């Protein structure tokens, strides 16, 4: 059996399948997922497992088509009737072929995973292995399904028709089942979630629900068994039983609402804190960055000590990368989001003094309007720049000159800074405190509070 498997690995389409999966994955991962921020595919083990399945929306239909092309080999070679007349069971002949196809696609996917794994420096979590395993089963099922359907319908048109049909199904599931504001629910959502990829991760603090991963695994295991039986069984209709049973279990098991697809990870959100000095805490998901963040964070607390009621600690606030707005937060803590601070940027990431400046901005408060907010952030940025500069004791621009809003912000910062500095010291403190209260509650205009309505 091992010798026959080796022959199949050399002479079948298994090497081609592996190369196709590898090339598609590397190209898509280069162009598709974010290349900066906390959700890049090489930042965390969970992100790695989810993003390496992202290319399956392209490679899965291609693998189905190439598997079908391999399934037509006996018909093209004219040996189908000869093999059928031998006493060797169909299952024995199918195992060698399907084993080779499976090895080809699994090896390619594992190579892609290994390329990303050598760059991961996040915390270890076992759940990512299950997400990865389901992706491997889905690829094996695609290759086997193509071969099985080609035996059932041995036509030259079968491979292209299957590839196009699979692409249409996957594309439709992605478009209809996208987890945005207009996402469906109920049966429609459950059916679209049977696609081979996972929903794109929005942050590192949530992970695919266990029911979602289990349901996908059951469905693709049933699909793979059906594909095997299409090649091994005498009656094609007998092969449908596994996938029908798998779908009957998997579909009700799938989450019924978009909010249930991804669940909060208590481990990722747990805190890791410094042992000495002013308290600085990051989430476990970013705990490996604590040594880099602690120094600038403690310096920010030292500068903020000039406030009447200064914050005593710095803590990370778990949240999505592309948020529109945030809820009210107490001002006795400097709350941070590393993505908001541009900590993970590839080009010019915020580190050292730059990181301190961004923590001090707004006198130790977070922006109310996030990166995805439709609101004009000009006035808020101007107020945060002036308040942070007051804490630092000198005017410190928050935006680079190349920023979209830099010119409009500078037009407000100059007059606001001069007006604030012209006030008596106690009045300056009161204005900054009023601005901190507005920013903490995310209610009102911080620039109005800082300038008492002058701007």
């Amino acid at each position: 059996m091992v010798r026959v498997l080796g022959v199949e690995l050399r002479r079948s389409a298994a090497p081609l399948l592996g190369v196709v999966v590898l090339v598609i994955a590397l190209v898509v991962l280069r162009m598709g997922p974010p290349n900066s921020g906390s959700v890049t595919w090489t930042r965390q083990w969970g992100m790695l497992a989810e993003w390496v399945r992202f290319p399956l929306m392209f490679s899965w239909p291609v693998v189905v088509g190439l598997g079908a092309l391999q399934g037509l080999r006996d018909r093209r070679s004219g040996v189908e009737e000869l093999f059928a007349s031998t006493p060797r069971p169909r299952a024995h002949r199918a195992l060698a072929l399907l084993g080779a196809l499976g090895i080809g696609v699994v090896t390619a996917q594992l190579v892609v995973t290994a390329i990303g794994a050598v760059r991961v420096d996040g915390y270890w979590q076992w759940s990512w292995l299950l997400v990865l395993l389901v992706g491997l089963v889905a690829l094996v099922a695609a290759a086997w399904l193509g071969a099985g359907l080609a035996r059932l319908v041995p036509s030259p048109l079968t491979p292209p028709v299957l590839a196009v049909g699979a692409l249409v199904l996957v594309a439709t599931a992605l478009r209809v089942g996208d987890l945005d504001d207009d996402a469906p629910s109920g049966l429609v959502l459950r059916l679209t979630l049977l696609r081979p990829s996972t929903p794109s991760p929005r942050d590192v603090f949530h992970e695919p629900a266990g029911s979602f991963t289990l349901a996908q695994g059951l469905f693709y295991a049933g699909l793979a068994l059906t594909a095997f039986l299409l090649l091994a069984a005498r009656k094609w209709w007998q092969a449908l039983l596994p996938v029908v049973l798998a779908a009957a279990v998997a579909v009700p098991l799938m989450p019924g609402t978009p909010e249930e697809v991804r669940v909060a990870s208590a481990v990722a959100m747990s805190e890791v804190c410094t042992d000495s000095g002013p308290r600085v805490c990051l989430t476990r998901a970013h705990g490996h960055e604590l040594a880099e963040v602690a120094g600038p964070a403690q310096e920010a607390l030292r500068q903020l000590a000039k406030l009447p009621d200064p914050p005593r600690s710095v803590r990370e606030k778990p949240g999505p990368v592309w948020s529109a707005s945030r809820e009210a937060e107490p001002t006795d803590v400097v709350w941070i989001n590393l993505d908001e601070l541009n900590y993970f940027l590839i080009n010019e990431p915020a580190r050292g003094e730059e990181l301190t400046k961004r923590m001090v901005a707004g006198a130790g408060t977070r922006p109310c309007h996030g990166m995805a907010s439709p609101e004009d952030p000009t006035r808020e940025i101007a107020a945060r720049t002036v308040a942070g500069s007051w804490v630092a004791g000198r005017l410190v621009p928050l935006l680079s000159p190349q920023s979209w809003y830099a010119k409009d912000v500078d037009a407000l910062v100059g007059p606001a800074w001069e007006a604030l500095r012209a006030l008596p010291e106690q009045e300056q403190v009161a204005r900054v405190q009023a601005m901190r209260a507005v920013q903490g509650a995310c209610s009102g205009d911080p620039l109005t509070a800082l300038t008492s309505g002058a701007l």
Side-chain angles (χ1 to χ4, degrees):
M1 184 64 184
V2 175
R3 184 178 62 85
V4 176
L5 180 61
V7 172
E8 289 288 5
L9 284 171
R10 293 193 304 271
R11 296 183 180 180
S12 69
L16 176 61
L17 277 172
V19 171
V20 168
V21 170
L22 180 62
V23 171
I24 291 177
L26 294 179
V27 170
V28 173
L29 288 172
R30 175 67 178 174
M31 301 175 62
N35 57 13
S36 64
S38 62
V39 293
T40 55
W41 73 288
T42 57
R43 180 117 10 228
Q44 303 278 354
W45 292 107
M47 297 296 101
L48 174 65
E50 293 186 61
W51 281 122
V52 295
R53 287 181 56 183
F54 179 70
L56 296 189
M57 62 184 183
F58 301 103
S59 60
W60 202 85
V62 176
V63 170
V64 172
L66 291 177
L69 189 64
Q70 179 62 47
L72 294 176
R73 181 182 60 178
D74 291 351
R75 172 61 65 93
R76 292 196 310 269
S77 303
V79 295
E80 190 175 33
E81 293 184 2
L82 176 62
F83 286 161
S85 64
T86 63
R88 189 183 182 191
R90 289 175 179 265
H92 288 183
R93 298 198 304 270
L95 279 175
L97 173 61
L98 296 183
L101 296 179
I103 290 174
V105 294
V106 167
T107 301
Q109 190 73 351
L110 290 178
V111 168
V112 176
T113 305
I115 292 173
V118 297
R119 300 163 60 188
V120 173
D121 59 355
Y123 77 104
W124 177 267
Q125 52 187 127
W126 289 101
S127 59
W128 78 276
L129 293 173
L130 296 177
V131 178
L132 176 65
L133 179 61
V134 172
L136 297 178
V137 175
L139 273 175
V140 171
W144 291 8
L145 180 64
L149 291 177
R151 175 188 175 270
L152 185 63
V153 186
S155 167
L157 295 177
T158 299
V161 169
L162 287 179
V164 172
L167 181 61
V168 170
L169 285 176
V170 172
T172 302
L174 286 169
R175 183 177 61 84
V176 175
D178 187 23
L179 301 183
D180 54 16
D181 294 336
D182 299 324
S185 59
L187 181 60
V188 175
L189 177 63
R190 291 186 171 99
L191 291 175
T192 61
L193 290 177
L194 292 176
R195 60 185 186 261
S197 61
T198 63
S200 300
R202 306 292 175 87
D203 60 60
V204 298
F205 307 110
H206 291 76
E207 60 187 6
S211 59
F212 166 76
T213 302
L214 178 60
Q216 280 197 328
L218 287 174
F219 175 74
Y220 284 107
L223 189 61
L225 183 55
T226 285
F228 170 75
L229 293 177
L230 285 174
L231 286 170
R234 296 283 181 179
K235 306 291 185 179
W236 67 267
W237 51 267
Q238 295 174 344
L240 298 179
L241 183 60
V243 72
V244 170
L245 290 177
V249 175
V251 172
L253 190 60
M254 277 289 185
T257 63
E259 294 77 18
E260 296 173 331
V261 177
R262 303 185 66 83
V263 296
S265 171
V267 176
M269 291 186 178
S270 62
E271 288 188 335
V272 179
C273 302
T274 53
D275 297 325
S276 60
R279 192 172 180 82
V280 178
C281 297
L282 297 181
T283 60
R284 177 73 183 279
H286 295 147
H288 56 287
E289 305 289 350
L290 185 60
E292 184 78 30
V293 173
Q298 291 173 343
E299 173 60 22
L301 290 174
R302 187 191 67 78
Q303 295 183 21
L304 291 167
K306 66 187 294 184
L307 294 169
D309 187 19
R312 303 295 182 184
S313 62
V314 175
R315 296 176 62 186
E316 183 181 6
K317 186 77 170 183
V321 177
W322 302 104
S323 59
S325 61
R326 67 167 174 83
E327 299 176 350
E329 296 172 349
T331 57
D332 59 341
V333 173
V334 177
W335 299 98
I336 62 173
N337 180 300
L338 293 183
D339 282 296
E340 290 178 359
L341 297 175
N342 292 338
Y343 182 84
F344 293 113
L345 286 184
I346 293 180
N347 299 320
E348 300 181 3
R351 305 292 168 91
E353 293 183 1
E354 180 66 19
L355 188 57
T356 298
K357 180 186 77 173
R358 292 180 177 275
M359 291 184 187
V360 170
T365 57
R366 284 178 63 209
C368 289
H369 301 296
M371 301 176 185
S373 173
E375 301 290 335
D376 183 359
T378 303
R379 292 181 63 82
E380 182 184 37
I381 296 174
R384 292 176 55 75
T385 301
V386 173
S389 298
W390 180 86
V391 172
R394 56 189 175 86
L395 185 59
V396 183
L398 187 58
L399 297 180
S400 65
Q402 295 77 26
S403 176
W404 289 351
Y405 302 103
K407 187 176 295 186
D408 294 336
V409 169
D410 289 344
L412 294 171
V413 166
W417 173 251
E418 294 298 332
L420 181 64
R421 297 292 290 177
L423 296 172
E425 184 175 350
Q426 290 300 318
E427 182 63 20
Q428 293 181 32
V429 173
R431 295 281 183 88
V432 173
Q433 287 289 84
M435 180 270 177
R436 276 172 50 82
V438 170
Q439 277 292 99
C442 281
S443 175
D445 185 351
L447 189 60
T448 299
L450 191 63
T451 61
S452 192
L455 290 176

